[in-house]
Amino acid sequence: VRARVLSGKELATTIRAETSAQAAELTKLGSPPKLAIVLATAEASAAWYVRSLAAAAEKVNVSCDIVDLGPDAAPADICETLANLCSDDTTHGVILQTPLPAGAKPADLASAIAPEKDVDGANPLSLGRLAAGLPAFAPATAEAVLALLCHHNVELTGRHVAVVGRSTVVGKPAAHLLLNKNATVTVCHSRTKDLAAITSTADVVVAAVGRAGLITAEHVRPGSVVVDVGTNPTDDGRLVGDVDAASVAEKAGALTPVPGGVGPVTTALLLQHAVQAAAH
Ligand SMILES: NC(=O)c1ccc[n+]([C@@H]2O[C@H](COP(=O)([O-])OP(=O)(O)OC[C@H]3O[C@@H](n4cnc5c(N)ncnc54)[C@H](OP(=O)(O)O)[C@@H]3O)[C@@H](O)[C@H]2O)c1
């Protein structure tokens, strides 16, 4: 028996269609949604990601400004840029792309993004509100995990979910969103002893680590649901997840693919957040 493939493509298409229609409506009413992405790195993959996000935005009637401050930007200048964008009434969503210049503290800089425009949930206030069960934009990747599970009718109430990874962009917010859905959540990380002993008792495993093939068949319970958040580039130019899909698919009940799982839903939700911000 091979695991069911929990694709994100269909859900992403649905979210994009709704977002596009709502953005067109807002434009008609004189408030065209606009996203701004602040970039301060020479890393080619970040620049590529930002350009592809901008292209995806334009496709759903969201205009997108890329503000490239260069890899030597001073933290104070990045903060000032973010603050200026937040006080600009025509800009509704503000994203600070990582990586940041050496010495810049992500949480300090992201604190300059007003929560109502913090469409990728980067401001620590957004994570705090999420933890408190209050309305806030969640980091799109963490929300995509939940959206994908919901779309594929995976029950979460009372189920044991093991989240592998505790970053502020994926693991921690995903854990809070899962708690808000009444799952019983265990968060694992690099200091966790005997990872397989924990994950193999879980009904759902969420892998958000950044290590190709870390999660193997020994880490999963027969019939469980596995969400692969990892995106790891290979030497031959492919993208693979944190899950060793070949072995896990023989044991798990369902598995999200990489690419085509969490990734497209993340992008769609980010744009949906920008339109939601514009609607307020
Ligand atoms: N699909 C998408 O849209 C999307 C978006 C964002 C990120 N991602 C991908 O998701 C992955 C995680 O991203 P991230 O930003 O959360 O990464 P990160 O900030 O590097 O965090 C990685 C987490 O994994 C833990 N970890 C490392 N080695 C481990 C091990 N051997 N066993 C258990 N846990 C281990 C780390 O533990 P410690 O805390 O102890 O160091 C840390 O909490 C990456 O592949 C990234 O590319 C995908």
Side-chain angles (χ1 to χ4, degrees):
V1 179
R2 282 187 67 83
R4 189 159 65 100
V5 178
L6 305 183
S7 170
K9 288 182 183 169
E10 182 191 296
L11 173 59
T13 302
T14 305
I15 297 169
R16 279 198 303 268
E18 286 168 6
T19 300
S20 178
Q22 202 186 353
E25 191 62 30
L26 286 166
T27 303
K28 220 186 283 172
L29 294 172
S31 181
K34 187 162 86 179
L35 182 66
I37 310 174
V38 176
L39 185 67
T41 176
E43 214 174 82
S45 60
W48 178 87
Y49 172 73
V50 164
R51 278 197 307 275
S52 68
L53 185 55
E58 305 286 349
K59 279 190 191 153
V60 296
N61 303 313
V62 174
S63 64
C64 185
D65 285 350
I66 298 172
V67 184
D68 190 350
L69 300 176
D72 301 322
D77 291 338
I78 300 174
C79 272
E80 196 186 332
T81 302
L82 294 169
N84 287 341
L85 289 166
C86 287
S87 51
D88 168 21
D89 288 344
T90 67
T91 300
H92 308 97
V94 178
I95 294 173
L96 175 60
Q97 179 61 37
T98 54
L100 296 167
K105 295 199 176 85
D108 287 355
L109 299 190
S111 295
I113 306 175
E116 64 275 15
K117 297 193 180 185
D118 185 24
V119 291
D120 203 16
N123 187 328
L125 283 179
S126 299
L127 182 59
R129 289 184 63 87
L130 212 65
L134 297 171
F137 286 118
T141 308
E143 190 177 334
V145 170
L146 274 288
L148 206 47
L149 289 170
C150 174
H151 174 72
H152 290 285
N153 300 313
V154 176
E155 177 65 49
L156 291 170
T157 297
R159 310 291 287 282
H160 178 204
V161 183
V163 178
V164 190
R166 59 172 166 179
S167 73
T168 50
V169 283
V170 193
K172 274 183 198 151
H176 287 300
L177 290 169
L178 288 159
L179 275 176
N180 293 346
K181 291 283 180 197
N182 301 311
T184 302
V185 183
T186 306
V187 182
C188 307
H189 46 77
S190 68
R191 310 288 178 91
T192 296
K193 290 197 168 65
D194 202 350
L195 180 66
I198 296 167
T199 55
S200 63
T201 66
D203 301 301
V204 179
V205 176
V206 177
V209 178
R211 300 211 174 181
L214 177 81
I215 303 298
T216 62
E218 70 155 334
H219 292 85
V220 302
R221 197 168 62 71
S224 58
V225 175
V226 181
V227 180
D228 192 352
V229 181
T231 49
N232 308 293
T234 62
D235 291 341
D236 57 356
R238 289 176 305 122
L239 207 60
V240 297
D242 290 342
V243 176
D244 175 30
S247 73
V248 169
E250 299 296 327
K251 195 170 175 189
L255 170 64
T256 68
V258 176
V262 173
V265 181
T266 298
T267 309
L269 285 174
L270 210 44
L271 301 175
Q272 185 184 59
H273 289 177
V275 173
Q276 285 168 346
H280 280 114

